[in-house]
Amino acid sequence: LRAEILAIGSELLDPDRSDTHGPFLAEGLRSVGVEVMARSLVGDEREWLEPAFRTALARADIVIATGGLGPTEDDRTREAAAAVLGRALVRDPEASEALRARFARYGWELTPDNARQADLIAGAERLANPNGTAPGQWIEDGERLLILLPGPPGEMRPLFEAEVMPRLRQLAGGRVVRSRVLRLAAVSESEVDRLVGPLYARVDNPRTTILSAAGEVELRFRASGATEAEAEGRIEALVSQVRDVLGDRIASEDGSSMEEVVARLLTERGQTLALAESCTGGLLAGRLTAVPGASVFLDSTVVTYSNAAKTALIGVDADLIARHGAVSEEVAQEMARGVRARAGTDIGLGITGIAGPSGGTPEKPVGLVMIALAGSAGDRVRRSVFPGDRSKVRARAVAVALEMLRRGLLGLPQI
Amino acid sequence: LRAEILAIGSELLDPDRSDTHGPFLAEGLRSVGVEVMARSLVGDEREWLEPAFRTALARADIVIATGGLGPTEDDRTREAAAAVLGRALVRDPEASEALRARFARYGWELTPDNARQADLIAGAERLANPNGTAPGQWIEDGERLLILLPGPPGEMRPLFEAEVMPRLRQLAGGRVVRSRVLRLAAVSESEVDRLVGPLYARVDNPRTTILSAAGEVELRFRASGATEAEAEGRIEALVSQVRDVLGDRIASEDGSSMEEVVARLLTERGQTLALAESCTGGLLAGRLTAVPGASVFLDSTVVTYSNAAKTALIGVDADLIARHGAVSEEVAQEMARGVRARAGTDIGLGITGIAGPSGGTPEKPVGLVMIALAGSAGDRVRRSVFPGDRSKVRARAVAVALEMLRRGLLGLPQI
């Protein structure tokens, strides 16, 4: 089965945006054995949309289109697809009712524009969208299959996974594809590749991909087999060699994010945490509190940008700051100890650094970050100089802090 | 002039790869006033390539195709394009000579496969490629223009800049494109569209796009004109109508993010800020500290997840929490006042809410968030119920908090 993906919306063509829909859908389709042969971004004009649908439906078995299902003038996907299929649009009673209920819940009025979102192509199966207003649509047309999905990633992705994937899996029959993701933090892509490249380079099944972003590296393995056990066995055979090489640097093998790994460790061990962030400005707290249930372990966080706040809120000695500077191992250590003492938690963590673009000196360059742990996960200060711009320095500091927490909680030596 | 970009090569369809050709070419085309209406990645099979060329040449004025010009079996771009145009392939003597010279320089033998790279579509102008073996091709076909470029970025980019851009600049006849972005927060896309849709729906130049994410809306206008002044004038004519309708809901007109707008207002007015975040867990601080120079205005932030932390760190009365609940207007107000008093800043802001997925009750559902301001930007508590999952509720709360700060700092009535 061969598929084509159309991501619809003029805003997607902005050169500053990168397409996230295409890779996400291609990944999902590949996992059920469907090959993607073309992926397009198309502006939302009828003269461009209709030829796109016409061409795609002529050459692909499966066409998935995202976007253009909303209530505005720009949303023309329904009309264009209906015209190409030569079918009418029909207002769906169930979709209308779902829309009405959703609007009522938030006390909004259901305008005629919004009501349009309940229009389905005649013969389409409605794919319920619990996260938004426009439902997806599943349209069989002879040998061809057209699937319309809403554009916002927060709606499209769950809908694809819950409604589309199971149906496609059934359609594709046959071969099973399994994948596994290993995650590492505080390490570079080239370091990981140097270690594991020789292991996977000559292996076609599983296929291995290395991805990295801001101090974290993902190793992705994807294998196919006649059965689930065969595909899993192929992955396990390679991963066990990778484990021999990377050892305890592997933070997760089940796709969990670093914050999920740390949150789980803290929760399981009944340990509590308090953070004192300076240059990361709340980003570490933001990531940890993205995990549901973070209130169990994260007592409090203080973001102490000014020296005065470091003293007032967490009791860092003003003399210490004057002597060593706000970005110093000594101050980081006192931030970790101070916030732990004030909050009465098991663990304290302090981060202070120079995220840039200004504020660097020859001795203390932009990118210099001190991260300190205090308490039951060990006492330790780490000094790093991170490359990249302000946002990269901040993200890398957060990745290292999460890895230090993970290692401390597991009793592993700090790197 | 409207263009379509085809990036050809099955390897480009790998979900782990991101497309760099499309954005590069789109950026270059935009700078000479050519609008890109569609961008595709297409696998290198004839049955997929020919429809791609046929559709593109039917709807676009300019088609740029990259890749598939090399010597291997997979390189089928020349043949597919020639077939669609109904023209022959002709071996070009100059291109042959360039190939022979290049191969001789490296002491390689020019095989028949490699010699194919000198085949041009009949009537094509050869675009010399100093960085590789296959030349580019410039093919005029009636009103339409087809440009073939080699796939490797190190060949494609210099060739595009040296040979294609100057010709396109001339073709486009010096038309200039200008764009502007208006940003609004704490508002829905459909609300904005209801207000401004009637203004822009019938206007082709500028073209208007509405984008929204997590409580923020962007209105993008792009106009072309014979001169910069004409293009700007067209944008201003439409934007001035939009201003009449949206008024002070417009937070920025220069592409600034909400955090940049608020950071600038705080800095200009010499006002300082302290934050007490509960359900947003540091996200607001993370966004404000992403702005270089945030240390000037952001004294400190406390993330008080637990009730005890609310009391210990910012002095919220434990009785008040017991009486009204941690998620209440009263507690939000005390968080804003308390953090301001402790930090000694001009403004305090407090956020407390239920981000979910658990913790909701019939009276206090998931999504309920209280945001309070205290101090020189006014005293005010806003109660909202945000739709969506945990990450959406958090992001929307941050957007509303930024808008409350902006309005408070400007002395505008809170919405």
Side-chain angles (χ1 to χ4, degrees):
Chain A
L1 288 174
R2 303 170 98 192
E4 175 156 358
I5 297 168
L6 302 175
I8 293 163
S10 296
E11 73 283 3
L12 303 176
L13 290 157
D14 190 302
D16 300 328
R17 273 178 81 123
S18 65
D19 175 29
T20 57
H21 281 23
F24 170 83
L25 292 169
E27 179 79 46
L29 289 166
R30 187 149 80 172
S31 77
V32 294
V34 175
E35 192 183 1
V36 175
M37 286 295 293
R39 262 163 50 190
S40 304
L41 308 176
V42 190
D44 41 32
E45 295 188 11
R46 285 286 288 268
E47 313 91 87
W48 286 73
L49 283 183
E50 290 186 14
F53 277 113
R54 203 168 296 117
T55 306
L57 287 165
R59 65 188 174 184
D61 304 303
I62 300 171
V63 177
I64 301 190
T66 63
L69 298 179
T72 77
E73 290 263 359
D74 289 346
D75 292 305
R76 301 186 172 105
T77 297
R78 276 179 296 261
E79 286 73 12
V84 169
L85 290 170
R87 300 196 192 181
L89 283 173
V90 184
R91 185 137 312 170
D92 184 70
E94 269 183 78
S96 283
E97 188 40 47
L99 261 182
R100 227 189 313 275
R102 190 177 172 85
F103 273 68
R105 194 165 351 126
Y106 298 113
W108 302 334
E109 193 197 346
L110 183 61
T111 60
D113 277 354
N114 270 300
R116 276 203 317 131
Q117 297 179 90
D119 290 348
L120 301 190
I121 289 171
E125 183 180 350
R126 181 175 70 96
L127 305 175
N129 173 10
N131 303 298
T133 46
Q137 306 194 28
W138 174 282
I139 304 128
E140 296 180 8
D141 188 65
E143 293 291 289
R144 305 170 301 175
L145 170 62
L146 171 63
I147 299 161
L148 306 182
L149 298 175
E155 301 178 26
M156 186 276 278
R157 294 180 174 217
L159 215 165
F160 180 74
E161 282 167 350
E163 301 290 338
V164 178
M165 286 282 280
R167 287 173 171 86
L168 287 180
R169 206 171 277 126
Q170 212 165 10
L171 259 185
R175 272 186 94 71
V176 179
V177 177
R178 306 292 294 171
S179 61
R180 200 178 303 178
V181 177
L182 267 53
R183 187 181 305 276
L184 298 86
V187 66
S188 74
E189 180 179 2
S190 59
E191 199 178 330
V192 174
D193 195 51
R194 187 178 57 76
L195 293 168
V196 302
L199 300 176
Y200 72 73
R202 275 157 222 274
V203 182
D204 263 354
N205 186 14
R207 264 177 54 85
T208 305
T209 318
I210 298 195
L211 275 178
S212 79
E216 296 187 22
V217 173
E218 270 182 30
L219 275 168
R220 299 179 168 220
F221 305 91
R222 181 164 37 236
S224 65
T227 63
E228 198 165 299
E230 188 203 324
E232 282 290 353
R234 285 176 174 278
I235 291 177
E236 185 53 31
L238 181 54
V239 166
S240 73
Q241 295 176 56
V242 169
R243 260 188 230 113
D244 289 345
V245 171
L246 296 178
D248 64 27
R249 300 300 310 271
I250 299 168
S252 83
E253 294 199 4
D254 60 357
S256 295
S257 65
M258 285 303 296
E259 55 268 32
E260 285 167 341
V261 169
V262 169
R264 195 158 46 221
L265 287 171
L266 285 163
T267 308
E268 279 168 11
R269 280 146 215 253
Q271 296 285 294
T272 56
L273 175 65
L275 309 174
E277 299 190 53
S278 183
C279 65
T280 48
L283 282 184
L284 177 56
R287 278 189 62 180
L288 283 168
T289 57
V291 183
S295 51
V296 170
F297 59 81
L298 189 64
D299 175 87
S300 59
T301 295
V302 293
V303 180
T304 53
Y305 239 55
S306 67
N307 291 349
K310 288 184 180 68
T311 303
L313 283 169
I314 42 177
V316 177
D317 186 356
D319 283 351
L320 192 79
I321 299 177
R323 230 173 20 252
H324 300 284
V327 180
S328 60
E329 273 133 322
E330 291 80 0
V331 167
Q333 208 149 32
E334 274 309 298
M335 287 169 69
R337 284 185 194 141
V339 77
R340 173 175 179 253
R342 295 266 165 134
T345 53
D346 300 305
I347 305 167
L349 187 146
I351 307 180
T352 178
I354 304 160
S358 62
T361 64
E363 301 83 51
K364 294 191 175 177
V366 166
L368 176 68
V369 179
M370 311 294 183
I371 306 174
L373 273 182
S376 66
D379 289 86
R380 171 68 185 253
V381 194
R382 180 179 158 134
R383 177 197 163 96
S384 316
V385 180
F386 299 113
D389 63 12
R390 183 177 179 84
S391 75
K392 281 202 181 129
V393 167
R394 286 161 38 105
R396 288 192 161 120
V398 169
V400 168
L402 288 167
E403 176 68 359
M404 286 177 72
L405 277 169
R406 185 184 75 87
R407 300 188 79 82
L409 284 160
L410 287 169
L412 297 171
Q414 292 293 345
I415 47 157
Chain B
L1 288 174
R2 304 170 98 189
E4 175 155 358
I5 298 169
L6 302 175
I8 294 164
S10 296
E11 75 283 4
L12 304 176
L13 290 158
D14 189 303
D16 297 326
R17 271 180 82 121
S18 64
D19 174 30
T20 58
H21 281 22
F24 171 81
L25 293 169
E27 184 75 48
L29 288 166
R30 186 151 77 172
S31 76
V32 294
V34 175
E35 192 184 0
V36 175
M37 284 296 292
R39 263 163 51 192
S40 303
L41 308 174
V42 190
D44 41 31
E45 295 187 12
R46 285 287 288 268
E47 313 91 87
W48 285 74
L49 284 183
E50 290 186 15
F53 277 113
R54 202 168 298 119
T55 306
L57 287 164
R59 63 188 174 183
D61 304 302
I62 301 172
V63 178
I64 302 190
T66 63
L69 298 178
T72 77
E73 291 263 355
D74 289 345
D75 292 305
R76 302 189 173 103
T77 296
R78 276 179 296 262
E79 288 73 12
V84 169
L85 290 170
R87 301 197 190 179
L89 282 173
V90 183
R91 187 138 310 171
D92 182 71
E94 269 184 80
S96 282
E97 186 42 46
L99 259 182
R100 230 189 312 276
R102 189 179 172 86
F103 273 69
R105 196 166 350 128
Y106 299 113
W108 301 334
E109 190 196 349
L110 184 61
T111 61
D113 276 352
N114 269 301
R116 277 204 316 130
Q117 296 178 88
D119 290 348
L120 300 191
I121 289 172
E125 181 180 353
R126 183 175 68 96
L127 304 176
N129 173 11
N131 303 298
T133 46
Q137 306 193 29
W138 176 282
I139 304 126
E140 294 179 11
D141 188 65
E143 293 291 289
R144 304 169 302 176
L145 170 62
L146 172 63
I147 300 162
L148 305 182
L149 297 174
E155 304 178 26
M156 186 277 279
R157 292 179 177 220
L159 215 164
F160 179 73
E161 281 166 352
E163 301 290 339
V164 178
M165 286 282 281
R167 286 174 172 85
L168 286 181
R169 208 172 273 125
Q170 215 165 9
L171 253 189
R175 276 194 82 76
V176 178
V177 176
R178 308 291 295 169
S179 60
R180 199 177 302 175
V181 177
L182 267 52
R183 187 181 305 279
L184 299 86
V187 67
S188 74
E189 180 181 2
S190 58
E191 198 178 332
V192 173
D193 194 56
R194 188 178 55 78
L195 293 167
V196 302
L199 300 177
Y200 73 75
R202 277 154 222 274
V203 182
D204 262 354
N205 186 15
R207 263 179 57 83
T208 304
T209 318
I210 298 194
L211 273 178
S212 78
E216 295 188 22
V217 173
E218 268 180 34
L219 276 168
R220 299 182 166 217
F221 305 91
R222 181 159 40 233
S224 65
T227 63
E228 199 165 299
E230 189 203 323
E232 282 292 353
R234 283 176 175 277
I235 291 178
E236 185 52 34
L238 181 54
V239 166
S240 72
Q241 295 176 55
V242 169
R243 261 189 228 113
D244 288 344
V245 171
L246 296 177
D248 63 27
R249 299 302 309 270
I250 299 169
S252 84
E253 293 200 3
D254 62 357
S256 297
S257 64
M258 284 304 296
E259 54 268 31
E260 286 167 341
V261 169
V262 169
R264 192 156 50 220
L265 287 172
L266 286 162
T267 308
E268 280 169 8
R269 280 147 214 251
Q271 296 286 293
T272 56
L273 174 67
L275 309 174
E277 298 190 53
S278 182
C279 64
T280 50
L283 283 185
L284 176 57
R287 278 190 62 180
L288 282 168
T289 58
V291 182
S295 51
V296 170
F297 59 81
L298 189 63
D299 176 86
S300 59
T301 296
V302 293
V303 180
T304 52
Y305 239 56
S306 67
N307 291 348
K310 288 182 181 69
T311 302
L313 283 168
I314 41 176
V316 177
D317 185 357
D319 283 350
L320 192 79
I321 300 177
R323 228 171 23 247
H324 300 284
V327 180
S328 60
E329 272 132 324
E330 291 80 2
V331 168
Q333 206 149 31
E334 273 308 299
M335 287 169 68
R337 285 186 193 141
V339 78
R340 173 174 179 252
R342 295 264 164 133
T345 53
D346 300 305
I347 305 167
L349 186 147
I351 307 181
T352 179
I354 304 159
S358 62
T361 64
E363 301 83 50
K364 296 191 174 177
V366 166
L368 176 68
V369 179
M370 311 295 182
I371 306 175
L373 273 183
S376 67
D379 289 271
R380 171 68 185 251
V381 194
R382 181 180 156 133
R383 176 199 165 94
S384 316
V385 181
F386 299 115
D389 63 11
R390 183 178 179 86
S391 75
K392 277 196 186 142
V393 167
R394 284 159 42 104
R396 290 192 161 122
V398 168
V400 168
L402 288 167
E403 175 68 359
M404 286 178 71
L405 277 169
R406 185 184 75 88
R407 300 188 77 83
L409 284 160
L410 287 169
L412 296 171
Q414 292 293 345
I415 47 157

